[in-house]
């Protein structure tokens, strides 16, 4: 019997990263960048107001006096009222100059494309993001004035560069905006847009195909007869693969003569980076599918020292040697195997540095049994102690009287307890390893 770690090493060694493709940045969230993106122009590309106020020459509002240093030129309106209040407070503690009154000779909104030149002892009303008039070297915040429309009274001085975003403050031409190997999140996609890129080279989502097999299966749009059950696995496994980040094709139930099933698999092997076939191991009914996949490549069906899900298979099929998983028909076993073995392969193919779920230590709340010599994955409900913030975990399977095969128990779980091979029971109060199962958890 192969250990869990040996099976994981066997599987992850077969991970294949798809060839990079160029896609629109709007579709690139969560994908790994496959190129180094450099800026070809400065950001911002022109001097602009970092705050609502008046564009001025600092010398015209007392800036030539040796007063305490005013807030940085990189301050923006995004700092909100709190930032402005702090700036006003600092200014009020500085030496007070005499008030200066300047005529307001124009107004420049954000997005203005009309050039404007400022003359000595003049002010221009500017909005956040507006281009600064020629000769203006500072912005006088609204809060530091009487908000005049024809004339404005400067109640505080500013120094040259205050409240101005200079050319290239954020990015200079030639700077690397996004490095190769970066997983593209909202900030990176925003930065790509800021440097004028509408497309980016990325490693695409691995294409995962899901197939169910079994004479007892019917699709959910049909009424099952005697001895028939709904095809649960193709739906649950497709959802799990999509949540892991894959581009999923759900084939549904493979039916017909073995030759027809083989042709179907060959078509999808040519279009996939991963193939998952449920109902392909365990019981005599799976032998037909086993014979078909054996004719397509190499498959290893060694039992794995885990429960549930010790009966499984993995191999490389087709001319492209596509990683292929053979899973049992039991929905709980199939999903547990997916979490432990299939999901890491998908995450590696996506380029994730940490392909495994987050694991925390938690105190068990109930008694849990585990099979000797096998690593147990026990469905569980993870919670936090309101007073200590310690993790607490309640086993939903493995406890006395708790069925191990029911899908409803897995639906209630938000975690799985991982029990070592040499531990056969967990007592209340014992500390155990717990894997998160919440959507998107790493």
């Amino acid at each position: 019997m192969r250990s869990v770690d040996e099976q994981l090493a066997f599987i992850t060694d077969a991970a294949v990263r798809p060839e990079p493709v160029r896609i629109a940045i709007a579709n690139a969230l969560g994908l790994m960048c496959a190129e180094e993106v450099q800026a070809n122009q400065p950001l911002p590309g022109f001097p602009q107001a970092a705050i609502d106020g008046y564009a001025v020459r600092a010398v015209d509002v007392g800036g030539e006096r040796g007063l305490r240093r005013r807030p940085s030129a990189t301050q923006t309106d995004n700092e909100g009222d709190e930032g402005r209040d702090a700036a006003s407070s600092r200014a009020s503690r500085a030496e007070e100059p005499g008030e200066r009154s300047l005529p307001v000779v124009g107004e420049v909104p954000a997005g203005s494309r009309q050039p404007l030149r400022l003359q000595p002892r003049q002010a221009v009303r500017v909005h956040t993001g507006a281009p600064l008039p020629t000769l203006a070297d500072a912005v006088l915040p609204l809060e530091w004035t009487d908000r005049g429309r024809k004339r404005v009274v400067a109640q505080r001085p500013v120094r040259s560069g205050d409240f101005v975003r200079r050319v290239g403050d954020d990015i200079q031409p030639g700077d690397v905006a996004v490095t190769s190997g970066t997983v593209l999140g909202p900030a990176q996609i925003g930065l790509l847009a800021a440097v004028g890129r509408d497309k980016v080279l990325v490693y695409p989502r691995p294409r995962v195909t899901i197939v169910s097999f079994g004479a007892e299966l019917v699709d959910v749009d049909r009424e099952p007869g005697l001895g028939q059950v709904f095809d649960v696995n193709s739906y649950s496994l497709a959802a799990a693969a999509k949540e892991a980040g894959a581009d999923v094709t759900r084939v549904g139930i493979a039916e017909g003569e073995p030759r027809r099933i083989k042709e179907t698999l060959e078509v999808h092997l040519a279009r996939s980076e991963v193939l998952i076939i449920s109902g392909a191991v365990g019981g005599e009914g799976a032998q037909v599918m086993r014979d078909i996949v054996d004719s397509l490549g190499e498959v290893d069906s060694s039992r794995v020292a885990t429960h549930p899900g010790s009966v499984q298979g993995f191999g490389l099929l087709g001319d492209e040697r596509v990683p292929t998983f053979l899973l049992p028909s039991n929905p709980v076993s199939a999903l547990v195997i997916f979490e432990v073995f299939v999901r890491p392969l998908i995450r590696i193919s996506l380029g994730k540095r940490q392909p495994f779920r987050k694991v925390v230590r938690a105190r068990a709340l109930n008694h849990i049994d585990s099979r000797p010599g096998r690593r147990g994955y026990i469905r569980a409900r993870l919670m936090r102690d309101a007073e200590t913030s310690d993790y607490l975990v309640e086993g939903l399977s493995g406890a006395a009287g708790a069925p191990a095969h029911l899908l409803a128990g897995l639906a209630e779980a938000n975690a799985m307890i991982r029990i070592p091979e040499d531990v056969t029971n967990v007592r209340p109060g014992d500390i155990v390893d717990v894997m998160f199962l919440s959507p998107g958890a790493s």
Side-chain angles (χ1 to χ4, degrees):
M1 187 177 288
R2 182 177 291 156
S3 73
V4 171
D5 292 336
E6 289 171 339
Q7 182 76 347
L8 271 172
F10 179 43
I11 290 169
T12 55
D13 282 347
V16 176
R17 183 179 296 171
E19 289 297 314
V21 295
R22 193 169 297 280
I23 66 173
I25 61 173
N27 301 322
L29 181 66
L31 300 180
M32 176 179 281
C33 186
E35 63 174 325
E36 184 176 86
V37 179
Q38 291 186 340
N40 56 17
Q41 56 188 10
L43 181 69
F46 55 89
Q48 59 182 240
I51 196 170
D52 286 356
Y54 298 85
V56 296
R57 297 192 318 157
V59 68
D60 292 335
V61 292
E64 77 282 10
R65 301 179 65 176
L67 302 181
R68 187 175 300 171
R69 176 65 180 164
R70 295 298 182 262
S72 166
T74 59
Q75 277 187 281
T76 72
D77 61 310
N78 292 330
E79 292 173 294
D81 293 338
E82 183 178 346
R84 296 189 185 100
D85 291 345
S88 290
S89 177
R90 287 193 298 269
S92 66
R93 294 193 298 267
E95 178 184 347
E96 294 286 342
E99 290 185 344
R100 307 292 179 96
S101 176
L102 303 176
V104 179
V105 297
E107 184 170 357
V108 182
S112 173
R113 301 175 64 182
Q114 298 297 325
L116 191 62
R117 183 180 180 87
L118 188 71
Q119 298 298 328
R121 295 194 57 76
Q122 290 182 345
V124 171
R125 177 76 166 85
V126 290
H127 298 237
T128 302
L132 222 61
T134 304
L135 295 187
D137 63 354
V139 174
L140 182 66
L142 279 179
E143 289 81 358
W144 295 5
T145 73
D146 65 349
R147 300 174 182 253
R149 291 185 175 275
K150 294 184 177 181
R151 294 191 70 86
V152 60
V153 174
Q155 298 167 345
R156 304 280 189 273
V158 288
R159 285 191 169 184
S160 180
D162 280 356
F163 303 104
V164 173
R165 295 175 180 147
R166 301 180 181 89
V167 173
D169 266 352
D170 198 348
I171 294 177
Q172 293 285 349
D175 284 353
V176 176
V178 179
T179 59
S180 178
T182 300
V183 176
L184 298 174
Q188 288 76 26
I189 289 175
L191 194 53
L192 289 171
V195 299
R197 291 290 295 269
D198 63 337
K199 289 184 170 59
V200 62
L201 193 67
V202 297
Y203 294 104
R205 303 182 190 281
R207 297 168 298 176
V208 175
T209 298
I210 314 289
V211 179
S212 285
F213 178 73
E216 76 281 11
L217 300 177
V218 295
D219 206 348
V220 295
D221 60 354
R222 293 178 52 192
E223 188 69 27
L226 182 64
Q228 293 183 316
V229 296
F230 288 125
D231 169 27
V232 172
N233 283 354
S234 72
Y235 287 95
S236 61
L237 292 171
K242 184 174 291 187
E243 189 271 326
D247 180 8
V248 180
T249 298
R250 189 189 68 84
V251 175
I253 304 167
E255 299 177 306
E257 296 296 320
R259 178 180 58 82
R260 180 182 172 188
I261 295 175
K262 180 179 178 181
E263 290 173 352
T264 299
L265 294 183
E266 287 176 326
V267 168
H268 288 286
L269 283 169
R271 303 171 178 173
S272 306
E273 276 77 49
V274 179
L275 175 64
I276 302 173
I277 309 173
S278 72
V281 290
E284 295 182 2
Q287 189 59 49
V288 173
M289 182 60 79
R290 281 295 317 279
D291 291 341
I292 294 171
V293 297
D294 282 344
S295 70
L296 292 172
E298 304 172 4
V299 176
D300 186 298
S301 295
S302 301
R303 291 178 73 92
V304 181
T306 180
H307 78 90
S310 65
V311 179
Q312 57 181 274
F314 178 76
L316 304 174
L317 301 188
D319 295 338
E320 299 299 323
R321 295 175 61 80
V322 175
T324 301
F325 292 87
L326 308 184
L327 274 53
S329 58
N330 179 271
V332 170
S333 295
L335 277 175
V336 170
I337 293 171
F338 181 93
E339 278 295 330
V340 178
F341 299 105
V342 186
R343 190 178 191 276
L345 180 74
I346 293 173
R347 304 293 282 178
I348 290 171
S349 299
L350 277 167
K352 302 295 185 181
R353 295 183 178 88
Q354 175 48 269
F356 300 103
R357 292 282 199 183
K358 180 180 178 180
V359 176
V360 297
R361 302 280 283 169
R363 177 160 49 87
L365 296 178
N366 57 340
H367 185 279
I368 302 168
D369 292 323
S370 186
R371 297 184 185 180
R374 298 190 189 184
R375 185 176 300 178
Y377 290 91
I378 309 300
R379 302 183 300 283
R381 184 181 296 111
L382 185 66
M383 59 202 86
R384 300 293 289 266
D385 187 297
E387 295 183 358
T388 66
S389 294
D390 292 340
Y391 282 107
L392 308 174
V393 65
E394 176 189 10
L396 299 177
S397 62
H405 63 281
L406 297 183
L407 189 61
L410 188 58
E412 294 178 9
N414 63 358
M416 285 197 300
I417 301 171
R418 189 176 64 191
I419 301 178
E421 291 83 347
D422 59 350
V423 175
T424 57
N425 64 82
V426 172
R427 297 167 299 182
D430 287 351
I431 302 300
V432 293
D433 290 334
V434 181
M435 295 169 49
F436 278 86
L437 288 184
S438 57
S442 297

